[in-house]
């Protein structure tokens, strides 16, 4: 029989009987999963729908009759078969479940009143529902030291562990970090980490969430609240651009926990630890809670400013602060106002500021990206793919940074797809990434040369050209290094679009709502509903007007114009260019050169410390609205706690400033802005309504053809130098990590990493401190050997908690080459 004939003959469903009711199950489906779909709950501890079954706990024993008579079998290990009869309520099943629970409770401590899992514990619930009611054991229970910290974020109580294998399976199968496993044998079997190796996974918090007892607890949540005291709302994580669905929980108006919500299109219930524990920054004592006005003008120095940045400011009221800003706006020269940032907030925040900029401030100098993204037209105009499509394409081409560091849950999804064989990963990168071991092919290149490598592969006799031409292709495209220009990444898109025209793109934007901010028009030359879709209603079109004839500046252009004195008022919307813009010299000159700097922020960042006015903004958890992830999926953001002091949502600040400047944005609530977005921007017309409470809605694609830069050859590397690659880390020097107590200590140290051959050429031992020079500046850093780095590259973390790596980068140069000196004046050769 041919494969086609066999496929036609295979049944699409399998009929089984569960508790006397006929159920249509999927071929190969496990009995426990089929029962769940039929609304029949079978108790379980070890089974998890996102991991392989192991049959460890035996709690799911039910009577199954496959034609040989009913037998007790674990429903998590038995696939359905035709005419199967399942009984989950028989006397034998009940006795088996009672026995399993009695055995599990032999050594389990009865410390529910002090256990963080108490009140939401499956062991508690199932003991009440299926247990014997009392124990026959009077012997002393087994004891271990409790609890022990197995990482900075996770504590382990081995006495409570029921050996369900959930945490160990997740660490191995899903996260790829097998740092926790079973040790010992028999009665001494326990879960532990390896000696001297903590559970230092980026995804360790997921093991706490899926643990069915209180064996694993999260240090930020320990003893903070009881489940019945928590208030909860569903929301969408905005720590990065993946947009994981989460449940936000609070107690006494304070955020205390985030939990992953399982939705198929995005995160499958998983969260990275940065996204899970970032709530610590919301309650930081360093939050700005009232408007601040500088005692000394920006760009000047004083003993007060040098001693402590906060002492430059004095608290003021909103009327005075907005009045001062409005006066500066009215006095500004035409075209001398700029807005930098906006990817931190909701779509409604971005829309309000975009409308304020175009209709009141009369400027096109707006950019939500801080020089580390793609040109806006490419970011929203390339043929779009979803996360699911990237995980199911015949070939997924990765030309981006390390997704494990920048978009961790997308890393998990692609890793899982590669392991399952649903897609083939091919990567082109300057260094080994978290997905290299899962890729069928990995090509390393020097910084700025990914397009050249790809062009050579596709234009030659390489098998990759045929593979990409014959099947579905999704390209995960992003900046692998902020020390190379965006044009280098745009050129990759041009090469692929010309040679693989059927390829679709998943733009690996890093910032939380950068896609939504660009959709809302926070980019030069772009308006919501005009550049992205069909024309909006006439009344809205008239209200917005037309873009000026001359295109506005992007982030680099805004800072350059400010540095030359051409910007009278510079708004920073949650943006910190002194820390986060790649070229720190240009950032310093721009911030100091602007006439007035207005920071709309929740913390006094390095840039806000140089501002004239700081306006306190509400943050995640304190405001509602929508957000758009990297695939264009619009989902809801929930409000749960009250912003401290007089902090306000960004959209409200924009609306009030418009009134102070003599204008009117025309809305008074988030719902009114959402409705206007749907009317203004046809791409979002269907992205509102009840669906946002669940999986969200993917906004329709852009209606224009992106313009690609001309193909060119990457600049040749100096024979005596190395190509600088500035890579991102999950725990970086940003304000989220710095202001979250549980994460602040996890920020990585800054070192130079080079290939051992290049280190030998430098002529020093690994760990030696050296000087690294570029055309822009110099730094002194330790240098270490790393065989995962492509030869000719030198890799360094950006942004760094302590080192100003941006001092080496020229934002106007296509790439950054550096030289290493072991002593002053002695360059490496």
């Amino acid at each position: 029989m041919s494969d086609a004939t066999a496929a036609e003959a295979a049944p699409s469903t399998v009929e089984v009987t569960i508790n006397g009711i006929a159920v249509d199950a999927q071929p190969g489906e496990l009995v426990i999963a089929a029962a769940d779909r039929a609304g029949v709950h079978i108790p379980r501890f070890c089974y998890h729908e996102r991991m392989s079954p192991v049959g460890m706990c035996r709690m799911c024993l039910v009577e199954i009759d496959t034609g040989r008579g009913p037998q007790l079998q674990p429903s998590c290990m038995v696939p359905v078969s035709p005419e199967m009869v399942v009984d989950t309520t028989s006397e034998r099943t009940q006795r088996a479940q009672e026995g399993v629970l009695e055995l599990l409770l032999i050594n389990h401590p009865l410390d529910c009143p002090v256990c963080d899992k108490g009140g939401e514990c499956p062991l508690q619930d199932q003991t009440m529902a299926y247990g014997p009611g009392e124990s026959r054991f009077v012997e002393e229970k087994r004891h271990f030291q409790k609890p022990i910290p197995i990482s900075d974020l996770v504590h382990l109580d081995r006495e409570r562990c029921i050996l369900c294998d959930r945490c160990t399976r997740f660490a191995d199968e899903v996260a790829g970090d097998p740092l926790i496993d079973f040790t010992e044998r028999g009665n001494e079997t326990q879960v532990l980490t390896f000696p001297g190796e903590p559970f230092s996974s980026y995804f360790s918090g997921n093991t706490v969430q899926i643990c069915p007892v209180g064996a694993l607890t999260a240090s930020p949540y320990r003893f903070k609240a009881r489940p019945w005291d928590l208030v909860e709302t569903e929301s969408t994580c905005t720590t990065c651009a993946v947009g994981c669905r989460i449940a936000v929980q609070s107690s006494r108006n304070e955020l205390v926990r985030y939990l992953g919500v399982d939705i198929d299109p995005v995160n499958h219930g998983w969260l990275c630890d940065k996204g899970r524990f970032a709530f610590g920054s919301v309650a930081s004592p360093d939050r700005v809670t009232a408007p601040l006005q500088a005692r000394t003008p920006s760009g000047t120095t004083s003993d007060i400013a040098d001693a402590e940045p906060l002492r430059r400011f004095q608290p003021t009221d909103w009327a005075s602060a907005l009045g001062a800003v409005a006066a500066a706006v009215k006095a500004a020269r035409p075209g001398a106002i700029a807005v930098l940032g906006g990817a931190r907030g909701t779509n409604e925040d971005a829309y309000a500021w975009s409308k304020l900029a175009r209709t009141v401030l009369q400027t096109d100098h707006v950019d939500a990206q801080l020089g580390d993204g793609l040109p806006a037209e490419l970011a929203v105009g390339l043929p779009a793919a979803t996360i699911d499509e990237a995980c199911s394409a015949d070939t997924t081409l990765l030309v981006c940074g390390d997704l494990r560091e920048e978009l961790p849950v997308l890393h998990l999804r692609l890793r899982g797809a590669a392991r399952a064989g649903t897609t083939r990963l091919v990567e082109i990168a300057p260094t080994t990434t978290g997905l290299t071991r899962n890729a069928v092919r990995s090509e390393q290149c020097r910084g700025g040369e990914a397009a050249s490598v790809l062009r050579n592969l596709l234009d030659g006799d390489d098998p990759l050209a045929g593979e990409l031409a014959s099947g579905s292709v999704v390209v995960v495209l992003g900046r692998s290094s902020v020390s190379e220009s965006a044009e280098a990444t745009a050129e990759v898109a041009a090469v692929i679009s010309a040679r693989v025209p059927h390829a679709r793109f998943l733009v690996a934007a890093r910032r939380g709502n950068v896609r939504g901010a660009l959709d809302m028009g926070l980019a030069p030359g772009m308006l919501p509903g005009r550049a992205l879709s069909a024309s909006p209603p006439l009344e809205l079109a008239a209200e917005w007007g037309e873009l000026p004839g001359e295109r506005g500046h992007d982030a680099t252009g805004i800072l350059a114009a400010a540095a030359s004195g051409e910007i009278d008022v510079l708004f920073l919307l949650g943006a910190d260019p002194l820390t986060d813009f790649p070229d720190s010299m240009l950032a310093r000159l721009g911030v100091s050169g602007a006439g007035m700097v207005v920071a709309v922020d929740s913390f006094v960042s390095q840039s806000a410390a140089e501002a004239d006015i700081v306006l306190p903004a509400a943050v995640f958890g304190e405001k509602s609205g929508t957000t758009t992830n990297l695939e264009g999926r619009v989902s809801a953001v929930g409000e749960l706690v009250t912003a401290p002091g007089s902090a306000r949502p960004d959209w409200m600040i924009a609306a009030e400033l418009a009134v102070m400047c003599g204008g009117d944005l025309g809305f008074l609530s988030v719902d009114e802005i959402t409705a206007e977005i749907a009317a203004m921007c046809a791409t979002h017309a269907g992205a509102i309504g009840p669906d946002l409470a669940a999986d969200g809605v993917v906004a329709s694609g852009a209606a224009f053809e992106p313009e690609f830069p001309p193909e060119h050859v990457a600049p040749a590397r100096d024979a005596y130098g190395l190509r600088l690659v500035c890579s991102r880390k999950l725990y970086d020097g940003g304000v989220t990590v710095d202001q979250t107590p549980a994460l602040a200590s996890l920020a990585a140290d800054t070192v130079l990493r080079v290939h051992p051959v290049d280190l030998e050429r430098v002529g020093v031992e690994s760990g030696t401190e050296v000087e690294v020079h570029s055309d822009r500046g110099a730094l002194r850093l330790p240098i270490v050997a790393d065989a995962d780095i492509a030869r000719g590259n030198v890799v360094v973390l950006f942004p760094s908690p302590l080192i100003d790596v941006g001092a080496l980068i020229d934002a106007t140069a296509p790439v950054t080459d550096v030289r290493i000196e072991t002593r002053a004046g002695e360059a490496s050769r």
Side-chain angles (χ1 to χ4, degrees):
M1 182 183 296
S2 67
D3 293 341
T5 305
E8 292 176 0
S12 58
T13 61
V14 176
E15 184 175 296
V16 299
T17 302
I18 301 178
N19 294 345
I21 301 174
V23 174
D24 288 332
Q26 304 299 319
E29 188 175 22
L30 296 174
V31 171
I32 193 171
D36 284 344
R37 287 197 304 105
V40 178
H41 177 72
I42 298 176
R44 79 291 301 267
F45 292 115
C46 68
Y47 173 74
H48 192 284
E49 58 273 15
R50 296 296 184 185
M51 297 184 289
S52 61
V54 289
M56 294 282 287
C57 70
R58 285 329 207 214
M59 189 64 208
C60 67
L61 285 172
V62 295
E63 279 197 315
I64 300 177
D65 186 354
T66 57
R68 300 181 180 180
Q71 297 178 352
L72 285 174
Q73 299 184 61
S75 57
C76 73
M77 297 293 291
V78 180
V80 296
S81 61
E83 301 182 3
M84 174 183 283
V85 178
V86 179
D87 191 343
T88 70
T89 60
S90 68
E91 182 180 352
R92 290 181 64 195
T93 297
Q94 292 177 6
R95 290 178 57 193
Q97 291 169 348
E98 287 181 1
V100 169
L101 282 167
E102 189 174 26
L103 288 172
L104 290 177
L105 292 172
I106 290 175
N107 283 306
H108 191 85
L110 301 181
D111 59 353
C112 302
V114 297
C115 178
D116 275 312
K117 200 74 172 181
E120 56 182 7
C121 175
L123 182 59
Q124 273 186 330
D125 297 339
Q126 294 182 42
T127 297
M128 294 295 293
Y130 305 99
E134 61 182 14
S135 174
R136 294 174 290 174
F137 289 88
V138 296
E139 289 79 10
E140 180 75 11
K141 293 179 181 287
R142 179 182 56 192
H143 295 291
F144 291 111
Q145 175 188 351
K146 57 183 293 182
I148 56 174
I150 57 175
S151 76
D152 291 322
L153 299 171
V154 179
H155 286 67
L156 169 64
D157 189 329
R158 291 167 290 174
E159 292 182 353
R160 298 173 182 165
C161 181
I162 60 172
L163 305 178
C164 69
D165 198 28
R166 277 193 176 192
C167 59
T168 54
R169 268 181 297 154
F170 172 84
D172 183 27
E173 296 179 7
V174 181
D177 299 323
L179 302 173
I180 186 170
D181 209 342
F182 290 121
T183 65
E184 306 297 341
R185 293 185 178 183
N187 190 53
E188 296 300 315
T189 302
Q190 55 189 287
V191 167
L192 269 179
T193 57
F194 296 96
E197 295 187 23
F199 189 27
S200 54
S201 170
Y202 284 168
F203 310 99
S204 63
N206 294 288
T207 63
V208 176
Q209 180 172 338
I210 65 176
C211 179
V213 292
L216 293 172
T217 53
S219 56
Y221 177 72
R222 282 174 59 82
F223 309 126
K224 285 291 183 68
R226 306 303 292 181
W228 51 84
D229 292 328
L230 297 176
V231 181
E232 178 179 299
T233 187
E234 277 200 24
S235 189
T236 306
C237 180
T238 57
T239 306
C240 76
V242 175
C244 299
R245 197 68 180 157
I246 63 174
V248 181
Q249 298 178 336
S250 70
S251 176
R252 298 182 297 275
N253 198 44
E254 179 182 344
L255 298 182
V256 296
R257 185 168 64 170
Y258 294 166
L259 297 176
V261 174
D262 193 337
I263 64 170
D264 279 325
V266 184
N267 60 311
H268 288 184
W270 312 130
L271 299 176
C272 71
D273 285 352
K274 183 177 180 180
R276 182 181 295 274
F277 299 116
F279 64 83
S281 64
V282 177
S284 169
D286 295 333
R287 284 284 301 274
V288 181
T289 60
L292 302 176
Q293 190 163 10
R295 294 187 176 96
T296 58
S298 64
T300 64
T301 59
S302 70
D303 294 338
I304 291 177
D306 292 341
E308 184 179 348
L310 277 176
R311 293 180 60 191
R312 280 191 63 238
F313 298 99
Q314 59 185 359
T316 186
D317 57 84
W318 275 99
S320 300
L322 290 177
V325 176
V329 167
K330 294 175 181 178
R333 295 165 292 175
I337 300 176
V339 178
L340 193 58
R344 171 205 60 193
T346 63
N347 289 335
E348 289 73 14
D349 292 333
Y351 181 86
W353 275 93
S354 179
K355 188 173 184 180
L356 174 72
R358 271 47 181 265
T359 64
V360 178
L361 306 182
Q362 297 292 310
T363 183
D364 191 42
H365 303 323
V366 295
D367 194 0
Q369 302 185 91
L370 281 184
D372 61 354
L374 294 177
E377 293 85 351
L378 294 184
V380 300
L382 289 170
T386 65
I387 295 174
D388 276 346
E389 288 169 347
C391 294
S392 59
D394 293 329
T395 303
T396 298
L397 180 61
L398 307 177
V399 191
C400 54
D402 190 344
L403 295 180
R404 186 173 182 270
E405 304 288 348
E406 298 187 14
L407 302 167
V409 174
L410 178 59
H411 160 87
L412 290 188
R413 289 292 311 274
L414 290 173
R415 180 182 183 276
R419 282 171 52 89
T422 57
T423 189
R424 300 169 67 257
L425 298 182
V426 177
E427 71 169 3
I428 299 175
T431 179
T432 297
T433 71
L435 289 172
T436 298
R437 70 182 69 178
N438 303 108
V440 297
R441 182 168 179 179
S442 179
E443 295 285 340
Q444 288 195 339
C445 63
R446 285 191 289 266
E449 298 182 6
S452 299
V453 171
L454 188 59
R455 189 185 298 113
N456 292 336
L457 292 175
L458 297 181
D459 290 347
D461 298 329
D462 195 280
L464 178 62
E467 294 169 4
L468 297 183
S470 60
S472 58
V473 178
V474 170
V475 183
V476 181
L477 181 68
R479 293 274 288 275
S480 60
S481 170
V482 298
S483 55
E484 63 185 44
S485 68
E487 284 68 27
T489 308
E491 188 183 357
V492 172
V495 171
I496 294 172
S497 297
R499 293 160 177 80
V500 191
H502 62 280
R504 303 180 70 82
F505 293 83
L506 184 62
V507 176
R510 185 183 65 87
R511 301 178 188 277
N513 192 34
V514 65
R515 172 62 189 271
L518 297 179
D519 283 350
M520 297 302 103
L522 279 183
M526 299 177 68
L527 292 180
R530 212 76 53 88
L532 304 182
S533 65
S535 298
L538 292 178
E539 63 274 12
L540 286 178
E543 187 177 352
W544 275 77
E546 295 294 335
L547 287 170
E550 185 176 350
R551 182 186 177 95
H553 296 312
D554 62 4
T556 302
I558 288 172
L559 291 172
S564 61
E566 299 173 17
I567 299 298
D568 293 336
V569 182
L570 173 63
F571 289 93
L572 301 178
L573 305 184
D576 182 11
L578 293 183
T579 297
D580 215 14
F581 186 73
D583 186 338
S584 60
M585 178 183 291
L586 179 57
R588 284 194 300 272
L589 293 174
V591 171
S592 62
M596 170 182 271
V597 178
V598 181
V600 181
D601 214 327
S602 51
F603 296 95
V604 179
S605 64
Q606 287 192 38
S607 300
E610 301 298 322
D612 298 279
I613 301 286
V614 179
L615 303 177
V619 297
F620 182 84
E622 299 170 351
K623 56 186 176 181
S624 60
T626 60
T627 186
T628 306
N629 76 347
L630 75 173
E631 62 182 346
R633 182 176 301 276
V634 181
S635 54
V637 174
E639 178 182 353
L640 189 62
V641 296
T642 304
S646 60
R648 302 176 181 180
D650 294 56
W651 71 264
M652 189 178 295
I653 298 172
E656 294 187 13
L657 180 58
V659 173
M660 299 287 283
C661 293
D664 185 1
L665 298 187
F667 39 70
L668 298 174
S669 69
V670 171
D671 292 339
E672 290 181 8
I673 305 175
T674 305
E676 186 169 320
I677 291 172
M680 180 72 178
C681 189
T683 59
H684 286 64
I688 57 174
D691 288 340
L692 286 182
D695 294 357
V697 177
V698 177
S700 57
F704 66 92
E705 293 292 332
E707 295 184 6
F708 297 104
E711 294 187 6
H712 69 280
V713 178
R717 180 174 60 88
D718 187 333
Y720 298 104
L722 297 169
R723 182 67 46 82
L724 181 67
V725 175
C726 290
S727 62
R728 299 279 187 176
K729 296 287 286 185
L730 186 65
Y731 303 130
D732 55 16
V735 68
T736 299
V737 172
D738 184 57
Q739 293 294 336
T740 301
L743 302 179
S745 63
L746 302 178
D749 294 331
T750 304
V751 296
L752 299 172
R753 295 187 294 141
V754 298
H755 191 276
V757 172
D758 290 324
L759 182 63
E760 183 178 355
R761 195 182 73 171
V762 173
V764 297
E765 297 289 332
S766 183
T768 304
E769 195 172 74
V770 297
E771 278 194 357
V772 54
H773 291 260
S774 73
D775 291 339
R776 181 55 69 95
L779 293 175
R780 193 162 186 84
L781 289 169
I783 189 170
V784 298
D786 189 342
D788 291 336
I789 306 298
R791 290 186 59 182
N793 287 333
V794 54
V795 179
V796 65
L797 165 66
F798 178 90
S800 165
L802 301 174
I803 304 296
D804 182 14
V805 175
L808 299 172
I809 302 172
D810 182 355
T812 63
V815 294
T816 301
D817 287 333
V818 298
R819 293 193 181 193
I820 307 296
E821 293 186 0
T822 56
R823 296 192 302 272
E826 181 181 337
S828 62
R829 295 182 181 272

